[in-house]
Amino acid sequence: MRGTLVVATLLAFSVMPAAIAANPVRDVLWVALQGCVLAKKAAGRSFPCLAVDLGDAARPGTAVLRAPGQPTHTVVMPTDSVSGIEAPVLQGPRGAAYWRAALAARHYVSDALQGRLPPSAVGLEVNSVGGRSQDQLHIHLDCMRRSVTAALKAHGDAVGDSWAPFPVPLAEVSYLAMRVPADAVAAFNPFAALARVPSWQGHLHDASFAAVEADPGDPRGGMILLAYREPEASAEYLMDHGCRVARHGRAG
């Protein structure tokens, strides 16, 4: 989670004692999440989150939070303590469950834009340990940069069903890319997919990924996953939290 969201969240929840969190800097989001869960259990309300699903025996709980002061930037989190992209638990069914929850929450971005951007054009993103400032898993949802959607439209035919270098740099970074077929998206686990990149297993703390549905003109459809590894990897740079793409229609 980038600095703006962290500072805004700190201000919004400064009434909560820092001692509640093990690390008052990297656990601010966790403290805020606990307020949402408590409100849901006590009063059936999700505030200050947009939504809270406490889960059940079949699925883990999740919460959706809007970044204070950012109209579209939204994050989806487990209600359980899950550190981030490197957490082993994400390699199993929980990873796929959190992915599905994030897909289902894309409408919050679209709704904030009054439908000027369809949910299918909303991107998902997770940062590396060094590229984040919070140690609670949070999947970012927001608009993608116009240059990114344009590159996916131009080079989407080069993206296959297994990891391979994307033909051109994105935000000056060389990414790997893979396509998730449309009929496999719901059951997909991006965290497990990252572990299948040669030499990445056991090193996911340095990984970051973003995903967005393929361009409407792409005949193979599905979703395109983009990932890279660096000590401070942050695919969030592929996102535009100002959502300029929604002012001009989907990039083309």
Side-chain angles (χ1 to χ4, degrees):
M1 179 173 293
R2 309 311 298 167
T4 303
L5 181 53
V6 174
V7 172
T9 307
L10 266 169
L11 293 174
F13 300 103
S14 59
V15 295
M16 294 185 179
I20 292 176
N23 184 327
V25 175
R26 294 186 70 91
D27 286 337
V28 172
L29 186 60
W30 173 251
V31 176
L33 174 61
Q34 296 315 294
C36 297
V37 172
L38 180 61
K40 186 69 171 183
K41 289 180 176 178
R45 299 181 61 197
S46 298
F47 184 82
C49 289
L50 295 173
V52 174
D53 179 351
L54 296 175
D56 54 31
R59 69 188 193 288
T62 55
V64 183
L65 178 67
R66 177 73 40 78
Q70 298 189 29
T72 58
H73 187 188
T74 303
V75 295
V76 176
M77 307 163 284
T79 55
D80 292 333
S81 177
V82 179
S83 60
I85 196 167
E86 74 285 2
V89 70
L90 298 176
Q91 294 297 308
R94 285 185 175 239
Y98 298 139
W99 162 264
R100 285 191 295 273
L103 290 174
R106 289 177 295 173
H107 73 89
Y108 288 105
V109 177
S110 183
D111 292 348
L113 293 167
Q114 299 180 326
R116 293 194 300 275
L117 192 76
S120 60
V122 173
L124 297 78
E125 190 275 339
V126 178
N127 289 320
S128 68
V129 173
R132 69 182 191 235
S133 60
Q134 297 296 287
D135 288 329
Q136 172 66 7
L137 175 68
H138 49 287
I139 303 174
H140 295 265
L141 305 177
D142 213 341
C143 301
M144 301 296 284
R145 288 189 183 190
R146 296 188 73 206
S147 59
V148 173
T149 55
L152 293 177
K153 181 176 182 178
H155 301 283
D157 58 351
V159 179
D161 295 343
S162 58
W163 290 109
F166 191 69
V168 299
L170 300 170
E172 302 182 352
V173 173
S174 296
Y175 279 83
L176 296 178
M178 69 170 289
R179 184 184 301 269
V180 185
D183 60 0
V185 167
F188 185 64
N189 183 343
F191 306 99
L194 291 177
R196 292 195 293 271
V197 179
S199 79
W200 282 29
Q201 189 171 19
H203 302 281
L204 295 186
H205 60 284
D206 284 343
S208 179
F209 77 87
V212 68
E213 287 194 24
D215 185 86
D218 188 325
R220 288 188 290 169
M223 295 196 75
I224 293 179
L225 200 69
L226 301 161
Y228 79 111
R229 276 187 60 219
E230 284 183 5
E232 298 184 354
S234 174
E236 191 177 347
Y237 289 113
L238 301 183
M239 289 182 154
D240 172 17
H241 294 313
C243 277
R244 283 164 291 187
V245 66
R247 295 200 291 267
H248 303 286
R250 192 165 184 180

